[in-house]
Amino acid sequence: MTEISEEAPDDAQLNAISKAVSAGTPVDWAAEECRAGTAEARATIRELRVIAGVSALHRSLPAIESADPSAEGRRGVEQGAPMWGPLRLLEQIGRGSFGDVFRAWDTRLDREVALKLLRAHPAGGSGVASIVLGEGRLLARVRHPNVVTVHGADCVDGVVGLWMEFIHGCTLEELLLQQGPLSAPEALAVGLDVCRALSVVHHAGMLHRDIKSQNVMREAGGRLVLMDFGTGREISEGSSSRGTEISGTPLYLAPELFVGRPATVQSDLYSVGVLLYHLVSGSYPVQGTSFAELADAHARGVRKLLRDARPELPAAFLDVVERALEPDPEKRFTSTGALERALAKVMIGVHAAGAHRTALEVPSSMHGPRWRRGRKFKVVAAAACIVTAALGYAVALKVSGTKHMFGTAARNLSSGPPDARSPAPDLQTRRIRLPDAMYTGRPSPDGRLLSYVTLEGNLALFDLESGETRRLTNKGDSAESAESQMAISPDSRWLAYTWAALDGAFELRVIQTDGKSPRVLLRRNDVDFPMPVAWSGDGSHLLVVLEMKRKDIEIALVSLDSGRVDVIRSLRAPVPRQVSLSPDGAFVVYDHPATAESADRDIFIARVSDGHEERLVTHPANDLFPFWSAAGDEIIFSSDRAGSLGLWALPVSSGRAAGGPVALHRDLGRFYPLGLTEAGTLYYMLQTGMVDVYTAPLVSPRSDRVGIPEAVSSTFVGSNNSSSWSPDARFLAYVSVRGAVDTDPFSRVLAIRNVVDGTERLLHPPLAFFIAPRWSHDSRTILVRGTDLDGRAGSFLVDAVTGAVHGTMLATSVRGQTAVGNVAWSPGGDRLWFDRPGVGLFERATVGGTPKKILDYAAEGLASIVPQPEGFRVSPNGRALAFYGTDKNTGPGVTVLKVKFFEDPSRELVRLTRPDVFTSLAWAADGTGLLYSRRANQSATSLWWISTGGGEPRQAGLTLNGLRGLDVRSDGRALTFTAGAPKYELWKMDNLLSRPPAPNPEPQTRNPEP
Amino acid sequence: MALLAQAQAGNAAARDILIARYLPRLQRWATGRLPRWARAVSETQDVVQETVIQTFKRIEAFDARGEGALQAYLRQGVLNRIRDEIRKAQRRPSLATLDPRVAHDGASPLEEAIGREAVDRYERALARMRPEDREAIVARIEMGCSNQEIAAALGKPSANAARMAVERALVRLANEMRKET
């Protein structure tokens, strides 16, 4: 690099030109060249002119026209598809005896719906047509998260149709076929939700009359939805006269219906009993291939008891199912509520027993079908306790060596009984201080070395015993760098790694661990990103995962000698989190989502010789990060099947499971395994600290004092954020990160919590990432900020019932200009307000329409402000806007909080200078004050209140690490917020393979038949 | 810096703000970098967006020197991606290249303005600069950041200090470019 000499005579001239180039002011180049004293200076001036050209070009680039929001809002419209009224038929998804079911697009409301169309024309108002129309009429009375939401029923051009929410998921029958019978706790969770749904139906004066596994859908996130009321009838509508009509699926029909008695609540409950029987056994209590055979079997009392089909199930569960299946309706439960209570009692029993015996198979809590819930977590602690906990894991570390995770410590502080899930005593964990690293690689098989990438992008090794570091590459200032994937050979002499070359291509390289002989092993145009994951035992081959340009994934072996690539298996995206080669080199195991829509992975095994693949571990939970033990007799993997992410071991033999998974550690927190050494030491990264959403009462009329906060979620503790109240104060929406790795698509769910009864349902908006939910005034739509599945950032409108996205405002148009800055609901809650920083505030309809400018930032003297997303809030009465952001007119590091009443000039209320920053903002419900959070340093963030009329801000009595996401309830009596911050640490766990044998078979694997 | 650190610690809001901050700038910048015919093959802005989003997916692993470094890094990523797109496009000629109106138009606006050789010389010299110099130049010359923004991104005490850093870096860059001619 050339440093210009201090004595150079042309310094002053060059500096002056440089100043002009930087400022973009004109330079008389010819004159300057003439003035230059030396040839060198002249040449330098010519180069400065080139630089000025670069600068001028970039300054001259056209502002690109903004997006047409209406076009973006109308997603999914497929031209030419047939219409039924306002609905565009997109694809047929089902065929029933009465009609066909379609996925359709509601062009008026821009949402996806399921449409059931009657095949025959209703000549003279036939019974079938009136049934379908009746179904809609009946169902319109029922609103429950576990009952399909029917939008309407109509007759268009003589065709009768019924449209309802579109459920993305599978039926329980499909689930059963894919995964085999459910465990008792899973079936209990299903039973509880079906009972809740059925209670509402019965309460509305109807019977379902067709409960069966094909009529219960499980959404991708776990919500169960009771479907298809095609045979539903009102109880009061002359049951006796209509009772002779038999409808529903014969296998599920109560015996009394076969002899002409009327359908009742008890006959629905019998069907629930058959459903539970079927879910845990795969068969039915009364078998038959025809209606007559079934009637005969019922008449003769031929039935198979569930205790005979699955004797190992908890006795209490068997009792409840058998009672629901009593041939005599009088002996069954008297109501759906009674059955629900009985199931709930069984669930408690299973949980209690599980704490001592088989807790590992309990995937669910009392409250629903959320297959991956953790234990109840009740915050009874005072605010002081939460503050202590939130200040960090360091406190927890001092308490106990094994309570290394903040979440664990917090739970023990507040949940009372000792944690039954602490690790076995021989599994010792220890934190290792890692040098500053951009990426961390895998440990060497002998456990002595760990590779990493330095902050500069060089490849380096960390000696795990001595703590010494060694840099292997020297890229200097060049733009090339080592990438995230590395693998050390069994003899520790070689390191394979991914290298970003100067031209932007990613190469697979190997280098000696002393830094000598680097070479390119693989560089191919069709490979986007090669990842070395493991070496063969003899060091002759490298197991690699290739991210292909065409977006799929290849698992392959690369010969170190010839560079030859042998593909073992091709997969669709996403990339497995871990691929592991068996010690004998015959198999690879890897994690992969079972379907493209799933966030949950299963463990697969593929034969190296022919790529034959089988699912090794199948469970509704997330199973991932498989590692082969050095002896080849076990696969260690991670799973959240016990509610939290833990470690499990699966015995294997000849590429098949040789038993069920055994829990090694049921709650390791959010960890990311790096590798397992031959001696059985697991190295892993641990995310410490937790982020959660809380509510707290506001204890003064002006919302300037806060009471004791409570955590909102009892499950998935520590991975929730961004909460907001619905306008009617009945619901709280928040974002829950459920995946092991939160960059996974579909790892985020939008949880809708009913704060009145504590129930919760989960929405899965088709977005890669989203935060900051904000409710429309009718509580039907939620505005979120995020990125869609194509990676486009913006704001999106999410249906609060279905989770479907039916409106999109991209932050940038397709052509790149900032189209939309911050977005908020208009005061009426039916339109959107958005801003373009420096330009103004606009209003538009939720779908389409031309934006109307309602505030001109320049005219208001606000053009220099860039409001930040968390600090852009419309006042409750809609007459003012409050925001914070940077101001181009102030020095760097300054943020200002301003309020703008539309009739008045804007007013600056607070000005902060770094390190102090605002982290969020909310209006007091009466509009006279603002609550904001202010971070003073990296850990402490305090809540402040200031009158919109100005004056001194004052503290509102809450200081928490990472406080943000404020939202005041519409009645002004409560606040919700997010607190906490994650950190990452390197940990090791010893003796993973030398533990005493633990029984505890786990029923939800392959072949779970008793 | 605080924002970047927050984003790296997993704060999605911070990440979102950073994306919103850099994406429009990079997209605008990229229009000067891609030949017109290549733009017909691949939407520049999509490429930029995709690259930026990809980069942010790995932001927790990014060298934490600051936002100036981030901007330079993003620019490099986008540039690599654009080159990639150009190479791809050259391998499979598209209808656009057969259009007589655009067939001759292989240069990017930047190359049209100052010539391909000069662009290459500039680019190579830039790559040899110290990271702080490179970041300052990219921010000022290519991204059009204000001196205040540069001060914030590079951790300079004042806008004036940032301005001087840019000016000194420009002279060094010109000297570095001169060595090649």
Side-chain angles (χ1 to χ4, degrees), chain B residues 107-123:
Chain B
S108 70
L110 187 58
E111 287 164 345
E112 284 172 4
I114 65 171
R116 174 166 292 181
E117 264 184 39
V119 171
D120 287 348
R121 199 163 65 242
Y122 167 84
E123 208 55 67

Side-chain angles (χ1 to χ4, degrees), chain A residues 778-794:
Chain A
D778 62 3
S779 300
R780 294 179 69 111
T781 309
I782 297 173
L783 174 72
V784 298
R785 204 145 38 82
T787 48
D788 66 13
L789 295 177
D790 298 325
R792 300 179 301 177

Side-chain angles (χ1 to χ4, degrees), chain A residues 109 111 724-727 733 750 752 763 773-784 796-807 825 829-830 832 846-847:
Chain A
L109 299 174
R111 65 181 173 190
S724 99
W725 297 102
S726 67
L750 184 58
I752 310 292
L763 303 180
R774 302 272 182 248
W775 295 80
S776 65
H777 272 215
D778 62 3
S779 300
R780 294 179 69 111
T781 309
I782 297 173
L783 174 72
V784 298
F796 304 89
L797 293 171
V798 177
D799 188 303
V801 175
T802 64
V805 169
H806 40 74
W825 288 103
D830 53 347
L832 295 170
T846 53
V847 176

Side-chain angles (χ1 to χ4, degrees), chain B residues 62-88:
Chain B
F62 176 75
D63 168 355
R65 267 206 320 269
E67 282 184 45
L70 176 65
Q71 178 158 293
Y73 181 68
L74 287 170
R75 169 193 178 276
Q76 190 61 42
V78 172
L79 203 53
N80 288 343
R81 211 23 234 285
I82 288 174
R83 288 181 182 143
D84 212 35
E85 291 296 320
I86 293 172
R87 275 203 304 272
K88 259 200 265 176

Side-chain angles (χ1 to χ4, degrees), chain A residues 395-630:
Chain A
V395 181
L397 272 179
K398 282 179 192 157
V399 176
S400 157
T402 54
K403 289 171 193 162
H404 50 263
M405 195 217 163
F406 166 57
T408 312
R411 278 170 243 200
N412 287 344
L413 278 173
S414 52
S415 58
D419 193 333
R421 294 173 181 177
S422 54
D426 58 327
L427 293 180
Q428 286 167 6
T429 58
R430 189 160 67 85
R431 184 177 170 197
I432 298 160
R433 215 158 275 285
L434 187 70
D436 285 342
M438 192 192 287
Y439 303 113
T440 316
R442 298 175 172 80
S444 59
D446 63 7
R448 286 201 47 211
L449 298 169
L450 185 74
S451 58
Y452 68 100
V453 177
T454 66
L455 295 183
E456 295 74 41
N458 276 311
L459 195 64
L461 285 171
F462 175 58
D463 190 314
L464 288 161
E465 287 169 7
S466 69
E468 285 166 13
T469 61
R470 188 192 311 157
R471 198 186 65 191
L472 302 186
T473 59
N474 184 9
K475 69 182 201 70
D477 283 333
S478 86
E480 52 195 339
S481 74
E483 282 291 329
S484 55
Q485 300 292 321
M486 294 153 263
I488 301 172
S489 67
D491 60 5
S492 291
R493 285 189 53 227
W494 290 91
L495 175 64
Y497 58 103
T498 312
W499 186 255
L502 269 179
D503 62 358
F506 295 104
E507 301 169 342
L508 181 64
R509 294 187 173 197
V510 288
I511 190 171
Q512 286 184 17
T513 46
D514 57 8
K516 291 182 185 143
S517 321
R519 69 180 172 103
V520 177
L521 186 60
L522 184 147
R523 182 191 161 109
R524 264 174 34 191
N525 288 332
D526 59 337
V527 175
D528 204 26
F529 196 81
M531 293 178 261
V533 292
W535 294 69
S536 64
D538 60 1
S540 68
H541 287 79
L542 196 60
L543 180 67
V544 297
V545 174
L546 306 175
E547 263 188 279
M548 307 301 287
K549 287 255 164 71
R550 57 176 193 267
K551 299 287 180 202
D552 60 343
I553 313 293
E554 287 183 353
I555 300 174
L557 283 174
V558 182
S559 162
L560 266 294
D561 289 339
S562 65
R564 202 177 97 120
V565 178
D566 288 307
V567 176
I568 299 169
R569 184 87 199 159
S570 289
L571 307 172
R572 66 181 139 67
V575 177
R577 290 286 168 200
Q578 176 61 35
V579 182
S580 181
L581 185 66
S582 65
D584 63 4
F587 296 96
V588 289
V589 286
Y590 45 93
D591 54 77
H592 204 237
T595 68
E597 286 75 33
S598 175
D600 295 325
R601 293 165 185 249
D602 284 327
I603 309 278
F604 293 82
I605 187 163
R607 216 159 33 217
V608 170
S609 57
D610 61 0
H612 175 76
E613 178 192 74
E614 285 194 52
R615 244 201 285 194
L616 194 60
V617 178
T618 300
H619 192 279
N622 203 11
D623 301 306
L624 69 175
F625 296 124
F627 290 97
W628 226 293
S629 70

Side-chain angles (χ1 to χ4, degrees), chain A residues 665-689:
Chain A
H665 196 306
R666 299 201 187 100
D667 187 0
L668 262 181
R670 286 172 78 79
F671 69 104
Y672 191 109
L674 298 174
L676 183 65
T677 67
E678 284 166 353
T681 297
L682 180 79
Y683 286 87
Y684 57 99
M685 299 302 283
L686 186 66
Q687 182 185 322
T688 61

